[in-house]
Amino acid sequence: MGDFQAKPFTAKGGIAMKNNIRVERAIKNITQGELADLVSVSRQTINTIESNKYVPSTVLALKIARVFGKPLEEVFVLEEGD
């Protein structure tokens, strides 16, 4: 299979939320499972967030950003819808 790019989650009002978790994990060389352990969730939760199928809680988003040592806005991005 080729690269799968999930469509970003779009809330009412046409605002989409995307994330850079896959890129940040590659930079830190950690797996979804390792990230999940660091923020106390399942690997499946990380997978659904990374695939833009699920928007994390504020607390979880902050924990993920902290693992990468980045501001929240560099890991999670709000975009205007089409």
Side-chain angles (χ1 to χ4, degrees), residues 39 56-68 70-72 76:
V39 296
S57 69
T58 305
V59 172
L60 181 53
L62 288 166
K63 286 180 179 181
I64 291 169
R66 182 183 292 166
V67 167
F68 298 131
K70 301 271 178 103
L72 187 67
F76 296 94

Side-chain angles (χ1 to χ4, degrees), residues 17-75:
M17 184 168 174
K18 293 174 64 175
N19 69 73
N20 299 313
I21 294 175
R22 183 171 287 131
V23 171
E24 296 298 334
R25 280 194 312 101
I27 291 168
K28 283 193 75 85
N29 195 30
I30 61 173
T31 66
Q32 287 181 344
E34 290 167 334
L35 176 57
D37 288 344
L38 290 168
V39 296
S40 303
V41 297
S42 70
R43 184 202 58 80
Q44 291 85 353
T45 297
I46 297 299
N47 180 271
T48 58
I49 295 168
E50 194 172 280
S51 300
N52 294 308
K53 295 178 184 172
Y54 174 74
V55 175
S57 69
T58 305
V59 172
L60 181 53
L62 288 166
K63 286 180 179 181
I64 291 169
R66 182 183 292 166
V67 167
F68 298 131
K70 301 271 178 103
L72 187 67
E73 298 84 6
E74 287 186 28
V75 180

